[in-house]
Amino acid sequence: MEKKNFDGHSRLQSACVKWFRYQYKEYEYRLIKINNDLPLNNKELRIKLYNRFKAEGLLEGAPDLFLAVGNYLYNGLFIEFKYGNDRLRKKQVDVIKSLEAGNYRCVIVRSLDEFMKVIKEYLSIR
C-alpha cells in the first residue's frame, strides 16, 4: 500500500471514530479497532511481531473496526475503510463473507459522510 493511501486511510478512519465518539457517547467503549497494521521498516521485527500476533489471534483480512452493538437483525457491525481507489483483497472478501454468514453486518466505507449514514441507519434498527 502506498504511503499516501495509508495516510488517507488513517485520516478517514480517525475522523470517523472522532465523529462517532462525539455523537454516541453511550457506545464509546463498543467501537473497537481491529489492529492488522504492522508498518515497521525493520523487516525482521515486523516478521517476528506478525508471527506473535498471528499466534495471539491476528486475522489477516479482518475489517478495520467492529461496533459491538447488536440488534434484532445483526450481532454487530464490521466496518472496512477504503481510501481512493483501494479495493478489497481476496482474503478480505473471504473474511467478510464468513462474518456475514455469522449474522454480522459488514460495510465498506470510503468517506465520513458514508460512515455517518451507515452508523445512523444501523443504530436505528431496534
Side-chain angles (χ1 to χ4, degrees):
M1 182 183 294
E2 293 178 19
K3 184 174 178 19
K4 182 177 178 184
N5 284 350
F6 181 77
D7 289 345
H9 182 279
S10 178
R11 284 192 309 271
L12 171 60
Q13 186 169 333
S14 296
C16 291
V17 169
K18 183 177 180 179
W19 174 84
F20 179 89
R21 291 199 172 135
Y22 179 77
Q23 292 294 319
Y24 298 100
K25 292 185 188 307
E26 68 272 27
Y27 297 130
E28 74 176 303
Y29 298 121
R30 295 193 193 181
L31 186 64
I32 303 162
K33 176 180 173 33
I34 300 171
N35 196 6
N36 284 336
D37 304 329
L38 290 173
L40 302 174
N41 292 330
N42 182 327
K43 185 178 179 181
E44 185 178 316
L45 179 58
R46 184 174 56 243
I47 291 169
K48 184 178 179 179
L49 287 174
Y50 175 81
N51 290 332
R52 184 178 114 204
F53 294 160
K54 190 172 180 181
E56 293 173 351
L58 175 73
L59 178 62
E60 184 182 340
D64 296 309
L65 292 177
F66 177 59
L67 179 58
V69 176
N71 56 45
Y72 82 93
L73 290 178
Y74 302 104
N75 295 326
L77 174 66
F78 284 93
I79 304 160
E80 174 63 29
F81 290 94
K82 291 296 177 188
Y83 182 78
N85 294 324
D86 289 345
R87 304 263 183 248
L88 290 176
R89 291 175 281 122
K90 181 176 180 342
K91 190 72 167 179
Q92 290 176 308
V93 171
D94 294 343
V95 169
I96 287 171
K97 284 181 182 177
S98 177
L99 292 169
E100 289 175 336
N103 204 37
Y104 291 92
R105 173 105 162 96
C106 300
V107 296
I108 293 96
V109 169
R110 293 185 174 276
S111 70
L112 176 58
D113 288 338
E114 189 175 2
F115 177 82
M116 292 170 18
K117 180 180 176 191
V118 164
I119 293 297
K120 289 174 185 176
E121 286 175 0
Y122 181 81
L123 292 177
S124 72
I125 301 170
R126 298 285 177 213

